[in-house]
Amino acid sequence: KLIKVRPCVLRAVDGSPVSIWHAGSLNAWEAGNLSSTSVTAWSHAIFEYKDLWITKKSEEQRKLLGYIQVYDMQDVSLRHLSSREITDKLKTALQAGSFYMEAVAHMYVINASVLFSMAWKVGFI
């Protein structure tokens, strides 16, 4: 309800899972209705699943793999970036990922607008 995420929707050539986060789908109304507890539980489940995936595949292939995260910034607006409800819940949703940073092989941001680039440069994001 907060954001459309496609966890492990694709596999890279080496078998690594690819997840796509559709940032333009962020929903302030739903963000305000979600409890931090439910967002935290969801986040832990997603990142634990990806970690288990790459652990198993790494053992099978006898080489270290990581997962790939793609952040699709299409349709992200100033309203998304300035919404307190969205930023608080999005931080909660991504918080569990900080425990698995060593598991990230690649991270891509696609369809980013000039607005996103400016916000990134000033440290807003």
Side-chain angles (χ1 to χ4, degrees), residues 54-98:
I54 63 167
T55 299
K56 182 176 183 196
K57 290 294 181 188
S58 292
E59 289 171 357
E60 288 174 2
Q61 295 184 18
R62 305 182 100 182
K63 66 179 182 178
L64 188 58
L65 298 176
Y67 57 82
I68 299 166
Q69 296 196 145
V70 178
Y71 295 94
D72 185 354
M73 303 307 286
Q74 185 172 350
D75 299 327
V76 172
S77 67
L78 184 58
R79 178 180 52 85
H80 290 112
L81 298 175
S82 63
S83 169
R84 182 77 173 170
E85 292 85 8
I86 286 177
T87 55
D88 287 348
K89 291 298 180 350
L90 192 56
K91 285 178 185 178
T92 302
L94 295 172
Q95 186 176 12
S98 65

